[in-house]
Amino acid sequence: MELSCKSEYAILALLELATHYQKGEPLQIRQIAAQQDIPDRYLEQLLATLRRGGLVKSQRGSKGGYFLTREPWKITLFDIFVCLEGLDKLKNCEEDSQPKTSDSTVIEDIWEEARQAANSVLQKYTLLDLCEKRDSQKNLDIMYYI
């Protein structure tokens, strides 16, 4: 399972929204793009997809922008992945018209086990977890000079 550029950018954008969640003010595309180094036009498309998926909502007007629809601790990486990539990416390939051999059945069973393990990890982590990991990593990167 690979993390697509689309998913990575979306997670970065959602992390930015999660960081500002407590303020209750929407963030504009240009703010998110500048902070996370995401191309504006691409971010606009991603946020539209996330809006249709119910993870973000938009507010129009001069003080408009985007914000999360739920608390950061209620949005999992699995939710994000399903919204962006669709459930078909999380399921096995469509059944071929060819009959199954014992070899292909063994491979399919192991692939299913790997998929379930990956989904379990994605369901375990929320946006809040990622924010906390990022913050603790930043604290480790601080150097003290005497």
Side-chain angles (χ1 to χ4, degrees):
M1 193 159 148
E2 273 185 45
L3 180 65
S4 68
C5 187
K6 175 170 80 170
S7 293
E8 184 175 359
Y9 280 160
I11 292 168
L12 289 171
L14 290 168
L15 275 174
E16 193 63 29
L17 292 172
T19 301
H20 294 87
Y21 178 78
Q22 294 299 329
K23 294 178 185 175
E25 297 175 2
L27 288 178
Q28 295 180 349
I29 289 175
R30 62 181 167 77
Q31 293 172 296
I32 300 168
Q35 193 66 30
Q36 294 297 335
D37 197 27
I38 303 171
D40 289 21
R41 296 218 179 227
Y42 193 55
L43 180 58
E44 189 175 336
Q45 294 171 7
L46 285 175
L47 288 170
T49 302
L50 293 169
R51 186 178 45 77
R52 285 189 300 273
L55 296 178
V56 299
K57 56 185 169 180
S58 60
Q59 178 177 312
R60 294 181 182 253
S62 61
K63 298 201 183 232
Y66 289 85
F67 47 96
L68 299 176
T69 57
R70 294 179 275 172
E71 295 88 354
W73 57 91
K74 290 185 179 178
I75 299 175
T76 65
L77 292 178
F78 183 80
D79 297 333
I80 299 164
F81 190 77
V82 168
C83 176
L84 294 169
E85 306 292 345
L87 281 172
D88 57 329
K89 291 274 188 171
L90 304 175
K91 294 181 180 176
N92 286 335
C93 298
E94 290 296 320
E95 298 292 326
D96 290 335
S97 59
Q98 299 174 350
K100 298 280 182 200
T101 65
S102 60
D103 292 347
S104 66
T105 301
V106 167
I107 293 169
E108 204 172 277
D109 290 346
I110 292 171
W111 189 254
E112 175 63 18
E113 185 180 341
R115 184 190 64 76
Q116 288 176 0
N119 288 349
S120 176
V121 170
L122 292 173
Q123 290 170 344
K124 177 180 161 185
Y125 289 101
T126 67
L127 285 176
L128 182 63
D129 295 329
L130 268 64
C131 287
E132 289 171 351
K133 282 182 175 284
R134 177 202 57 205
D135 294 344
S136 67
Q137 184 65 40
K138 282 182 182 179
N139 289 337
L140 291 176
D141 291 342
I142 296 174
M143 293 189 85
Y144 295 97
Y145 295 96
I146 298 177

